Amino acid sequence: MSSFCGCWYIRPPPHPTKYYQYVPKQYLPLLESEVHSTILSTTSRTVLKQIFKNPSTTETIKECTYAFPLYDGVSVVSFTCRVGKKVLRGLVKEKAKAQEIYDKAVAKGETAGLLQQAPEASDMFSTKLGNIPAGESVIVEITYIGELKHHETEGIRFTIPTKIAPRYGSGPDYGTPAGITAQNQDGIKIIVDINMQEGSFIKGVQSPSHPIAVSMGTVSTATAADPTMSKASATLSLGSAALEKDFVLIVQSKDIGIPKAILETHPTIPNHRALMATLVPKFSLPPSRPEIVFVADRSGSMHGNIPMLTSAMNVFLKSMPAGVKFNICSFGSTYSFLWERSQSYTKDTLQQATKHVQTFGANMGGTQTFSAIQAAIKRRWSDLPLEIILLTDGDIQDQARLFDYVNKQVDESKGKIRIFPLGIGNGVSHALIEGLARAGNGFSQAVQNGERLDNCVVRMLRGALTPHITDYTLEVKYGKDDDDFEAIDKVTEGLKVLLSDSEKSKFLPSKAKSIISLFDKTVDPEKESVKGSKDSSHYLPKVPTPKLLQAPHKIPSLFAFSRTSVYLLMSPETIQRNPTAVVLRATSEHGPLELEIPIEVLASPAETIHQLAAKKAVQDLEEGRGWIFDAKNHNGKLVKDVYPSSFDDLVQREAVRLGEKFQIVGKWCSFVAVAA
């Protein structure tokens, strides 16, 4: 991606009287940079710490911006800035409120901070810092948590995104201005501590991207502890390195794919619980014979990745079974297909396709992914499931438009369309490939230069050949009570939302209301604010939230080599007995599918699972999905059809509710921090 991690500000223009003049960004010198991650089985908690300095000895920096990328889907749960002796601790607020608090503090000359998710991509964040005194250091700490992707048979894959290492001096293309000297020569330090569950043991730790040093048996925070095979620690072998590509760590561990369900109680919200069910499925169904369209990125940015693209395409083509129909779409600024419609896989069509791939070059201009995906869907054979395998290296500007389109097409086809993005090279946008996989009911993978891609390609092809199953449901089973009765909570039962009494009244005969005088001497309309209530959502209808909120709202397709995690936010209105198991069910043309997973109850209250669940629910809402899209009123009519003019605001209000309640940043919520 083209964004860089670092702290920058704009100096006053040298010629204030000129209307048009270029004023480059000034990057604050970086003194120290460190990432400390802790892997806890299949999740991770990371602290990103960076120390910058105001290089001027006389001038206060009125405002600077700190920009950084994170892996798609992680949840930022803490934001702290230290400016000299001042400590700024972030609190999540609705975006406009957070901006208002920040602006007021800066206007008063106070030091303040504001952390926001970029509106165009969910994996880019920026922090504004106001009023940094001359010569002072800025210490920024960002804490985030996330799920880990499954890797091959018994592995997990942990990624730190590319270009987290800051640029300093001037902007990318304009050299280093006088007086600003790069003081950071060591790049970034990375420490990863690994804690697997008791009874498991770590088989190996390696990085396909960077040289690392591994310590088995202990973690960096307790090196003197008795060694155990469930712990390990990894650091960069050279101590640090500038990240010219994603830092990737692979951990091989026994039983990492076994289904687990964990129940957590919130430490401060009474009787609120969260449940995480996670598994790497192991089941076998006869493969389907769908239509497969390979959508290959041949834009100019693919120049260094064409060898990987052609290698991947050759493996795909040689591995396909007889009976499928397939086609190849090349795209850049425009798109072109090998054939007008997909052809059956035969010896002759394989030769044509292989010869076509040999002509691939990065010679098609820009990256118009939307048009290529749209064309592939429009040309599909309507009586066959469509599998789109997207091979790309880069990013697009309008991700939301593409996700909305894919959401709609998947919904209208009743789940007969799936998309499997394969990220190629060192500059992959994880927000694009992960978001497209979520919208398209597939899964994504990323392969960097130097990594083997054969197994990765075959897994993706196996996924495309997996039968389409779209009716997965989750039930919560509770232990028997005193009456020997076993209770079950079903997520699907919460989709019919009964509107509040005030909303029902709109559909019922109105009661007599008190008369309002047309000349009331106690009223002064001139003094009433035209803005009305400060609560921007006060006019919206009251839509109760489900007592059992599942995230993602619709359980995606399960694949036998990709981890799936489903969360439940269990409000105090749910059955207040400890659940004993969750049951996952679905149907297929070959018979019913079912798995019961016993629940492990955490001994101490915590909020990690709550925050992962809330992030997943907010992610749904940001990408045009989520429970509210299927919510119905008491007459069985969809809420989005009852209130079409305000539905977007209802979606935003629900995302803000989750963000503020569980303190997570998103598209509509920001961290704001003022000096204590």
Side-chain angles (χ1 to χ4, degrees), residues 84-103:
K85 295 181 180 179
K86 295 179 180 178
V87 179
L88 316 180
R89 299 191 187 280
L91 190 67
V92 174
K93 296 284 186 183
E94 188 270 328
K95 200 168 191 176
K97 291 179 184 175
Q99 184 72 54
E100 183 182 356
I101 294 169
Y102 170 80
D103 289 342

Side-chain angles (χ1 to χ4, degrees), residues 264-276:
E264 172 187 86
T265 301
H266 200 279
T268 58
I269 305 174
N271 299 319
H272 203 293
R273 297 168 297 172
L275 190 145
M276 176 179 72

Side-chain angles (χ1 to χ4, degrees), residues 45 58 212:
R45 177 176 289 268
T58 57
I212 58 170

Side-chain angles (χ1 to χ4, degrees), residues 475-493:
E475 296 175 359
V476 182
K477 292 176 66 174
Y478 294 84
K480 295 180 180 180
D481 60 13
D482 296 336
D483 298 326
D484 203 35
F485 176 73
E486 184 180 68
I488 293 178
D489 242 340
K490 294 185 178 180
V491 174
T492 50
E493 292 175 351

Side-chain angles (χ1 to χ4, degrees), residues 186-459:
D186 294 329
I188 186 168
K189 297 177 182 176
I190 296 178
I191 301 170
V192 183
D193 288 328
I194 304 157
N195 288 279
M196 292 298 164
Q197 63 187 22
E198 292 296 328
S200 178
F201 64 87
I202 297 170
K203 296 180 177 180
V205 179
Q206 58 266 345
S207 170
S209 61
H210 292 78
I212 58 170
V214 177
S215 174
M216 301 293 287
T218 59
V219 294
S220 67
T221 53
T223 55
D226 292 336
T228 169
M229 291 303 293
S230 62
K231 298 183 185 297
S233 183
T235 58
L236 284 179
S237 293
L238 304 177
S240 60
L243 292 187
E244 76 286 352
K245 58 182 178 179
D246 286 3
F247 174 80
V248 177
L249 191 74
I250 308 296
V251 180
Q252 301 286 345
S253 176
K254 178 178 176 288
D255 297 337
I256 196 69
I258 287 180
K260 289 189 298 182
I262 302 172
L263 183 72
E264 172 187 86
T265 301
H266 200 279
T268 58
I269 305 174
N271 299 319
H272 203 293
R273 297 168 297 172
L275 190 145
M276 176 179 72
T278 180
L279 76 157
V280 179
K282 290 185 75 173
F283 67 98
S284 179
L285 294 174
S288 62
R289 289 294 181 265
E291 175 184 3
I292 300 177
V293 178
F294 300 99
V295 179
D297 184 351
R298 290 173 52 188
S299 61
S301 64
M302 285 288 288
H303 176 71
N305 296 319
I306 289 295
M308 288 185 70
L309 173 62
T310 55
S311 294
M313 283 300 307
N314 284 328
V315 176
F316 273 127
L317 292 173
K318 292 175 182 176
S319 304
M320 281 196 297
V324 303
K325 287 188 178 293
F326 78 107
N327 205 346
I328 298 173
C329 171
S330 300
F331 76 95
S333 300
T334 58
Y335 61 84
S336 63
F337 284 81
L338 175 57
W339 302 295
E340 184 63 27
R341 299 291 295 273
S342 293
Q343 302 293 307
S344 295
Y345 182 77
T346 64
K347 183 177 180 180
D348 183 46
T349 54
L350 171 59
Q351 287 178 345
Q352 292 180 49
T354 303
K355 187 176 181 180
H356 176 62
V357 168
Q358 291 172 357
T359 69
F360 275 13
N363 54 3
M364 294 187 69
T367 311
Q368 296 295 329
T369 312
F370 182 95
S371 300
I373 296 285
Q374 185 180 49
I377 290 175
K378 284 183 176 179
R379 294 173 183 233
R380 64 181 287 244
W381 293 104
S382 59
D383 59 332
L384 291 176
L386 173 65
E387 319 292 333
I388 295 177
I389 296 179
L390 172 68
L391 301 95
T392 184
D393 74 327
D395 197 2
I396 58 174
Q397 289 298 316
D398 194 355
Q399 294 183 4
R401 176 169 170 252
L402 178 58
F403 297 164
D404 287 345
Y405 173 76
V406 172
N407 282 335
K408 184 178 179 182
Q409 296 302 314
V410 169
D411 191 49
E412 289 180 354
S413 71
K414 294 182 169 47
K416 292 186 74 175
I417 296 172
R418 291 192 302 214
I419 300 180
F420 299 85
L422 177 61
I424 291 177
N426 295 341
V428 172
S429 166
H430 296 286
L432 173 66
I433 65 171
E434 296 283 355
L436 198 49
R438 285 190 295 269
N441 256 335
F443 64 86
S444 71
Q445 296 184 108
V447 184
Q448 296 194 129
N449 292 330
E451 282 192 82
R452 286 191 58 188
L453 53 74
D454 297 37
N455 291 341
C456 182
V457 166
V458 171
R459 279 195 302 275

Side-chain angles (χ1 to χ4, degrees), residues 21-204:
Q21 53 186 310
Y22 173 72
V23 181
K25 296 177 181 178
Q26 307 296 316
Y27 283 80
L28 298 190
L30 175 63
L31 304 181
E32 185 180 328
S33 181
E34 181 178 303
V35 171
H36 190 164
S37 296
T38 303
I39 292 175
L40 298 167
S41 191
T42 60
T43 62
S44 65
R45 177 176 289 268
T46 299
V47 178
L48 166 61
K49 177 181 178 181
Q50 297 198 310
I51 304 176
F52 300 87
K53 186 178 178 70
N54 181 352
S56 173
T57 56
T58 57
E59 296 179 8
T60 295
I61 294 177
K62 184 69 175 176
E63 182 176 88
C64 70
T65 301
Y66 170 67
F68 59 100
L70 294 179
Y71 194 82
D72 176 73
V74 301
S75 180
V76 179
V77 297
S78 174
F79 163 53
T80 303
C81 296
R82 292 178 176 84
V83 183
K85 295 181 180 179
K86 295 179 180 178
V87 179
L88 316 180
R89 299 191 187 280
L91 190 67
V92 174
K93 296 284 186 183
E94 188 270 328
K95 200 168 191 176
K97 291 179 184 175
Q99 184 72 54
E100 183 182 356
I101 294 169
Y102 170 80
D103 289 342
K104 285 181 178 178
V106 172
K108 292 178 183 176
E110 298 174 358
T111 305
L114 181 71
L115 184 148
Q116 297 178 315
Q117 178 179 304
E120 66 274 6
S122 61
D123 59 351
M124 288 303 303
F125 291 77
S126 67
T127 295
K128 289 183 179 179
L129 302 172
N131 295 316
I132 302 174
E136 288 284 15
S137 294
V138 182
I139 303 174
V140 180
E141 282 194 6
I142 309 284
T143 302
Y144 59 91
I145 57 178
E147 302 170 357
L148 299 179
K149 291 182 77 74
H150 192 67
H151 182 79
E152 298 189 354
T153 52
E154 290 191 319
I156 52 172
R157 184 183 179 99
F158 172 69
T159 303
I160 296 175
T162 186
K163 294 179 182 172
I164 200 171
R167 291 290 292 258
Y168 36 80
S170 182
D173 302 321
Y174 299 94
T176 302
I180 304 281
T181 305
Q183 297 182 33
N184 175 60
Q185 302 296 330
D186 294 329
I188 186 168
K189 297 177 182 176
I190 296 178
I191 301 170
V192 183
D193 288 328
I194 304 157
N195 288 279
M196 292 298 164
Q197 63 187 22
E198 292 296 328
S200 178
F201 64 87
I202 297 170
K203 296 180 177 180

